[in-house]
Amino acid sequence: MTPAGPRKTAAYIGALAGLGLILAACSSGADPANYPEDDIDVIVPFSAGGPTDTVTRMVAEPMSEELGVQLVVQNVDGAGGTVGAGQAATAEPDGYTVLMHHIGMSTAPALYDDLAYDPVADFKPVGLVTEVPMTIVGSPDFEPTTFEEFVSHIQENADTVTMAHAGEGSASNLCGLLLMDALGVEVTAVPYDGTGPAMGELVGGQVDFMCDQTTNTTGQIEAGKVKAYAVTTPERIEALPDLPTTAEGGQPDIEVSVWHGLYVPAETPDEVVTQLTDALQVALADQMVIDQMADLGTAPVAADQATPEAHATLLQEQIESWGDIIGAGQGG
Amino acid sequence: MGPGYVPFALGLVLAGLGVAIVVKAYVAPDPAPGEAPADARANDSAVEDAPVDDAPADGGAPSGRAASDADVLDPRPLAGIQWRPTVAVFAAVTFFAVTVDGLGLLLATFGTGLLAALARRGTGPVRALVIAAGLTLASWVIFVVLLQLRLALVGDWLGG
Amino acid sequence: MDLLDNLALGFSEALQWHNLMFCLLGVALGTAVGVLPGIGPTATIALLLPITFGFDDPTSALIMLAGIYYGAQYGGSTTAILLNLPGESSAAVTAIDGHQMARAGRAGVALAVAALGSFAAGTVATVVLAVAAPPLARAALSFGAAEYFSLVVLGLIASIALASGSTLKALAMIVLGILLGTVGQDLNTGTPRFTFGVRELYQGLSFVAVAVGVFGIAEILRNLHDPRSRTRMVSRVANLWPTRAELRRIVGPVIRATGLGSLLGVLPGGGHVLASYASYAVEKRVSRNPGEFGHGAIEGVAGPESANNAAAQTSFIPLLTLGLPAHPVMALMVGAFIIQGITPGPDVMTEQPALVWGLIASMWIGNVLLVLLNLPLIGLWVRMLSVPYSVLFPVIVVFACIGTYSLGQNPYDVLAVAVFGVLGFVLIRAGCEPAPLLLGFVLGPLLEENLRRALLISRGDPSVFVTRPISGVLLTLALIALVVAVLPAIRRKRDVVFAEDE
């Protein structure tokens, strides 16, 4: 080897500096002590503009302010939310990829036998966000006017009544399954591609009834374009104070709400999860978030629910109970 | 109606149409030029004797000429296909698909630009490299700087 | 006069300085993303939604987002005409004759006609929106699964007109397109079809990937095989502006297309997709020289472009009057409403008159801005064609890849571009045209979904398709269209007309 001349030395130094830069760039994401330094991707496994997307965008704003970096919503739609969740499961566990998912996280194992991830083992829960109540609504032409009449009507006319839902695995599909399970009837379920078209045909009287989230139904109920029968929560809700609960109507088993939660990949450091949970807590206490959610007939969860522990407990419970209901639906 | 009903029915219809096209080609081959979509275009582009830059003059007896639109209804549609542009363009797009996650936007763009540039006869390696480099820069400016798309510049394989 | 009051309120809102700025920003951004393949309005609006949180005035936010939407519809036709690269289903129709015009050195005329047609249609559609929104929306509600199915059947049969060659091959392409549309999870049961275990295919093939492949990439392969066809389009860019005679020719098509587009746009179940295809079919049918279609007929550009723009505007009707989003872009608008603290629903028009009428007025203003923005750009676009092809086509390939990838960060979409590019090229050489294939691909899922949905609701009784009046009428029309298309005598006559044309 010939001794290096000055020019060569400069080249070496340049190369080393370049390498150093690359290494610095690579390592910056992985240091939990400095978290967060860069924008955070929030994967929403549903299409933009849907209810889950809307909820995510509501909380992403104050969370961004709290963390000092931008939370960027990425819509990774497909296969009832399992494509986006699968992508999040295999993402770098550095806190820069977060998943917002709803109740579908707990129903996917029962609905898909070839699920590429395990909702419990592959993720760490960050906290619950909101529990969106569901409402049972009927088309303007549908005969029954009260929840009691509704129940007896569909029990007597199960073979002619039609129920809309927003596609396999959607919240409205799940609520429908639960309702049929609780009433011991089977009606014709008509799938639509999303909740918007389903609501359109319900308003137009093409189908008889649907069970959907208040985020979609409140506006239509208030305008009197659909008949509202009941809300599926234990208590009446503020946005629709005149609407009775299913329990008041004698059907306490029809209790369901579309809970939303934040997740990170399982190997994410606990410090990072704590920071995310804290930011979520701040966002859920934000008056603007509370107001926006109230307009849609929902509310942020209580502070003790927006924790990894409460989230993990609920997820486990829900996986078990939905496993039974969906299994029963498919068997019958 | 199960999930397979519609695809199965469509498959049968498509097979039937395929048979009909084959039979028609034997019984009554498209005689009128009016039947051929691209033919008319070829006719009017053939009238025009625009200057031809590096038109394929080589490539064996039929293939050079067979490439022109006039031969779109060559009874053997695959016969006149030139392999260099076809393979290079296919490879260019495929390269992007395979490497964009692994190598990141910059290298994937560079490779795709290089392969695509080489698809054209008459573009040498140096010119292709220059095109690919310029293209990488332009893509970065347009998609990353101006449109703010969230694309990884350096991919997973390189530790990005 | 209620209407005048409302419009006055709307214009006073939309003409406020900051709202004008956001409108301009929206249409300019929309045009920019529409021109680039792949990144359509849905992705752009999703990206920009967070920015609009910060706006004090919800009207500004919605004006800007709406501007992106119709601006992108507009921009999409530019690349369709210049490069045969449609970024959206409606632009695929424009590409058929628009690109042929460009190949004949008339790119400027095609672009100008598209702009003028769109503007005229947009103006009329704004009036329709202002005058007739509530009754139209009520009428749209009477469309159920059976009606949509019959409408799609009519659309598919009419689309045989999209092909200028063999009817048989066109039919085969439509069926192949429908088959490609079945890729992915079945809506009724969730069963994956033709996915080969690839989870990324569960949501089906991406429209952009298929369109960019069979149109854009196939076109590049064609040009590389025959450099002569390209040089011509650059060498003779004589006039940028349509002549008086040409303007007279497009008056009829624009009027018909505006009516058709305005009506179809209102249907929430995908009517707007049909608008440009339907207009093309109608124009070809009423034209005295249908043989020109497919080879650069100016009506084939003016009609679909006008229909598309009219439908884009009236597709706001279900949203504004019923709170129901007609397609993904409208769903995003719902999201924007909610985030601005407005519950979208049937009451939004009475509760937020300034916002709704401001939005409506801004659409007309946006159309004016689009014309002002784009007419001067035509010269620039056309000059882009004189970039040496050895540089231009790698740019198209790379932009198509990035654009398609950025849609869903899904490399399989890019792979589909490669496969469909080569397939499209082979098909063109075999005399099979890609436009019917693309239409089948877009309408196929609607056809299947509504067929199965209608039969579910009727409990398997197929008579609903003829006993429901609207559905029955549509099917009758479809039957007539089919008879006209295949009747041998008429075919022969058409061929004669065609031959005279040559």
Side-chain angles (χ1 to χ4, degrees):
Chain A
M1 281 277 188
T2 47
R7 192 178 285 177
K8 229 174 186 175
T9 315
Y12 271 113
I13 294 172
L16 274 177
L19 195 68
L21 268 177
I22 292 172
L23 284 176
C26 297
S27 58
S28 66
D31 185 1
N34 296 331
Y35 182 86
E37 307 181 300
D38 204 355
D39 291 357
I40 299 171
D41 286 340
V42 186
I43 294 182
V44 174
F46 300 98
S47 64
T52 311
D53 182 63
T54 308
V55 165
T56 311
R57 288 173 194 276
M58 283 175 184
V59 294
E61 197 57 16
M63 277 184 78
S64 298
E65 272 171 41
E66 179 63 20
L67 290 167
V69 295
Q70 196 64 39
L71 268 70
V72 182
V73 175
Q74 303 265 23
N75 300 96
V76 185
D77 194 7
T82 57
V83 171
Q87 194 172 318
T90 55
E92 276 305 301
D94 54 11
Y96 292 99
T97 307
V98 178
L99 171 73
M100 172 77 91
H101 206 322
H102 66 29
I103 189 167
M105 191 75 166
S106 63
T107 55
L111 286 169
Y112 303 92
D113 342 320
D114 59 341
L115 205 61
Y117 59 90
D118 181 330
V120 176
D122 290 340
F123 291 97
K124 259 185 199 163
V126 172
L128 293 169
V129 178
T130 177
E131 297 195 40
V132 183
M134 302 196 79
T135 48
I136 301 170
V137 290
S139 93
D141 316 329
F142 196 41
E143 234 174 84
T145 50
T146 66
F147 183 62
E148 286 81 359
E149 284 173 32
F150 168 82
V151 169
S152 58
H153 183 89
I154 67 169
Q155 276 170 338
E156 281 157 30
N157 304 288
D159 52 339
T160 56
V161 169
T162 52
M163 173 186 75
H165 69 79
E168 191 76 7
S170 65
S172 48
N173 179 212
L174 298 174
C175 181
L177 286 172
L178 179 67
L179 188 138
M180 291 195 289
D181 192 61
L183 300 182
V185 290
E186 190 145 354
V187 299
T188 305
V190 185
Y192 286 86
D193 193 7
T195 184
M199 180 55 86
E201 301 232 334
L202 186 76
V203 174
Q206 312 292 345
V207 280
D208 293 329
F209 79 97
M210 170 161 80
C211 174
D212 204 0
Q213 305 172 52
T214 49
T215 33
N216 302 317
T217 57
T218 307
Q220 304 293 341
I221 294 173
E222 282 174 344
K225 297 289 173 183
V226 292
K227 285 183 178 169
Y229 297 119
V231 56
T232 61
T233 44
E235 310 285 328
R236 291 193 181 204
I237 57 173
E238 250 173 74
L240 301 163
D242 299 332
L243 195 61
T245 65
T246 42
E248 288 174 47
Q251 299 293 336
D253 286 345
I254 309 177
E255 188 199 312
V256 56
S257 63
V258 186
W259 53 273
H260 292 65
L262 275 182
Y263 305 80
V264 288
E267 304 298 319
T268 309
D270 284 330
E271 304 93 293
V272 169
V273 177
T274 311
Q275 288 212 44
L276 286 168
T277 304
D278 291 348
L280 177 66
Q281 296 261 4
V282 172
L284 295 183
D286 187 290
Q287 192 56 43
M288 200 162 119
V289 172
I290 296 172
D291 290 346
Q292 282 174 338
M293 286 195 181
D295 281 341
L296 296 171
T298 183
V301 295
D304 61 346
Q305 293 293 300
T307 59
E309 298 74 31
H311 189 176
T313 316
L314 181 72
L315 178 65
Q316 195 60 51
E317 274 173 26
Q318 291 271 306
I319 290 176
E320 284 160 21
S321 69
W322 282 110
D324 295 343
I325 294 165
I326 293 166
Q330 279 168 348
Chain B
M1 281 169 97
Y5 183 92
V6 168
F8 182 71
L10 287 172
L12 290 183
V13 173
L14 189 60
L17 284 168
V19 169
I21 291 171
V22 170
V23 169
K24 185 162 174 276
Y26 277 106
V27 177
D30 298 340
E35 283 285 324
D39 230 25
R41 294 182 208 128
N43 284 350
D44 65 16
S45 80
V47 184
E48 181 72 14
D49 225 359
V52 177
D53 62 331
D54 61 18
D58 58 335
S63 72
R65 227 195 68 71
S68 93
D69 265 353
D71 293 49
V72 161
L73 281 198
D74 186 303
R76 302 154 297 143
L78 291 175
I81 289 187
Q82 298 166 19
W83 293 111
R84 174 168 168 172
T86 314
V87 171
V89 169
F90 182 81
V93 180
T94 309
F95 180 82
F96 190 89
V98 175
T99 61
V100 64
D101 283 338
L103 295 178
L105 180 72
L106 297 179
L107 285 177
T109 306
F110 185 82
T112 300
L114 187 67
L115 283 167
L118 286 171
R120 185 181 159 100
R121 203 185 301 262
T123 300
V126 178
R127 191 176 161 81
L129 278 171
V130 173
I131 292 173
L135 200 46
T136 309
L137 183 69
S139 311
W140 178 70
V141 170
I142 294 177
F143 292 97
V144 180
V145 178
L146 295 178
L147 288 175
Q148 299 267 310
L149 293 186
R150 300 192 44 84
L151 302 167
L153 296 182
V154 179
D156 302 337
W157 299 342
L158 305 176
Chain C
M1 273 300 278
D2 246 10
L3 178 64
L4 287 183
D5 287 347
N6 286 334
L7 280 179
L9 172 69
F11 275 97
S12 68
E13 185 76 19
L15 283 173
Q16 281 178 33
W17 192 230
H18 62 279
N19 284 341
L20 264 179
M21 285 309 299
F22 283 119
C23 187
L24 180 64
L25 192 67
V27 296
L29 253 171
T31 310
V33 297
V35 166
L36 293 167
I39 323 163
T42 321
T44 312
I45 293 178
L47 268 168
L48 288 181
L49 209 49
I51 298 177
T52 63
F53 292 167
F55 292 10
D56 300 328
D57 183 357
T59 316
S60 308
L62 292 168
I63 284 178
M64 187 174 97
L65 295 175
I68 294 173
Y69 171 56
Y70 51 78
Q73 295 280 338
Y74 183 94
S77 61
T78 306
T79 36
I81 290 171
L82 293 174
L83 307 171
N84 206 17
L85 201 66
E88 272 220 87
S89 60
S90 51
V93 188
T94 313
I96 304 173
D97 277 275
H99 189 62
Q100 287 308 320
M101 285 180 75
R103 287 175 82 99
R106 295 168 70 213
V109 178
L111 288 172
V113 161
L116 296 173
S118 294
F119 174 67
T123 306
V124 176
T126 307
V127 176
V128 172
L129 188 52
V131 177
L136 275 178
R138 268 195 300 280
L141 283 182
S142 57
F143 261 67
E147 284 76 17
Y148 279 117
F149 171 78
S150 303
L151 183 68
V152 170
V153 170
L154 175 61
L156 284 174
I157 287 173
S159 73
I160 297 172
L162 289 175
S164 49
S166 155
T167 307
L168 209 51
K169 286 179 181 174
L171 272 172
M173 286 299 97
I174 292 174
V175 176
L176 182 63
I178 303 177
L179 259 177
L180 290 171
T182 62
V183 172
Q185 254 184 327
D186 169 40
L187 179 67
N188 288 31
T189 59
T191 313
R193 300 187 294 195
F194 303 117
T195 55
F196 307 103
V198 177
R199 214 157 181 92
E200 280 79 1
L201 281 178
Y202 273 38
Q203 51 206 318
L205 292 164
S206 138
F207 170 80
V208 171
V210 177
V212 165
V214 296
F215 275 88
I217 301 293
E219 173 76 11
I220 287 175
L221 287 173
R222 235 171 71 166
N223 287 330
L224 288 174
H225 277 72
D226 179 20
R228 275 175 305 167
S229 65
R230 263 275 319 173
T231 46
R232 190 164 171 255
M233 94 198 231
V234 194
S235 63
R236 215 184 52 182
V237 194
N239 49 339
L240 291 180
W241 293 96
T243 61
R244 200 170 279 270
E246 282 170 327
L247 285 178
R248 259 199 302 278
R249 276 178 70 185
I250 66 165
V251 171
V254 169
I255 293 173
R256 279 188 292 272
T258 304
L260 203 59
S262 302
L263 287 179
L264 287 172
V266 184
L267 298 175
H272 71 286
V273 186
L274 272 167
S276 48
Y277 291 94
S279 161
Y280 190 90
V282 167
E283 289 316 318
K284 189 168 175 182
R285 200 63 78 199
V286 303
S287 170
R288 252 167 291 155
N289 19 339
E292 255 185 59
F293 282 76
H295 309 302
I298 199 166
E299 295 91 342
V301 178
E305 274 300 301
S306 312
N308 174 39
N309 204 34
Q313 312 239 305
T314 54
S315 67
F316 277 87
I317 288 181
L319 177 68
L320 294 178
T321 55
L322 306 168
L324 297 171
H327 47 81
V329 175
M330 291 302 132
L332 271 171
M333 296 290 289
V334 170
F337 271 107
I338 292 173
I339 282 159
Q340 293 289 347
I342 299 159
T343 315
D347 291 339
V348 77
M349 224 162 178
T350 43
E351 279 171 9
Q352 304 275 349
L355 182 139
V356 172
W357 290 100
L359 186 61
I360 292 172
S362 86
M363 287 183 200
W364 187 76
I365 296 170
N367 272 286
V368 177
L369 292 175
L370 268 178
V371 170
L372 293 180
L373 196 70
N374 280 286
L375 285 183
L377 279 178
I378 290 178
L380 189 79
W381 290 128
V382 172
R383 224 166 306 141
M384 196 179 83
L385 289 178
S386 57
V387 171
Y389 200 59
S390 59
V391 175
L392 184 58
F393 86 86
V395 173
I396 302 172
V397 170
V398 165
F399 281 18
C401 288
I402 300 179
T404 312
Y405 177 73
S406 69
L407 273 181
Q409 314 258 335
N410 184 350
Y412 282 87
D413 287 345
V414 185
L415 214 53
V417 171
V419 172
F420 282 100
V422 173
L423 179 72
F425 177 60
V426 172
L427 286 175
I428 292 171
R429 291 181 77 88
C432 299
E433 293 156 81
L437 180 138
L438 216 49
L439 180 74
F441 179 73
V442 173
L443 294 184
L446 287 176
L447 183 81
E448 185 191 359
E449 264 173 40
N450 285 303
L451 170 68
R452 292 171 66 178
R453 196 175 288 147
L455 289 176
L456 258 179
I457 294 176
S458 76
R459 332 213 123 247
D461 175 10
S463 70
V464 284
F465 296 111
V466 285
T467 51
R468 291 177 64 122
I470 302 176
S471 170
V473 169
L474 289 169
L475 277 185
T476 313
L477 286 176
L479 193 67
I480 294 170
L482 186 67
V483 170
V484 171
V486 298
L487 216 64
I490 297 172
R491 281 285 296 167
R492 225 172 292 130
K493 209 171 92 204
R494 256 180 61 187
D495 287 347
V496 172
V497 173
F498 213 97
E500 280 167 0
D501 241 46
E502 292 298 318

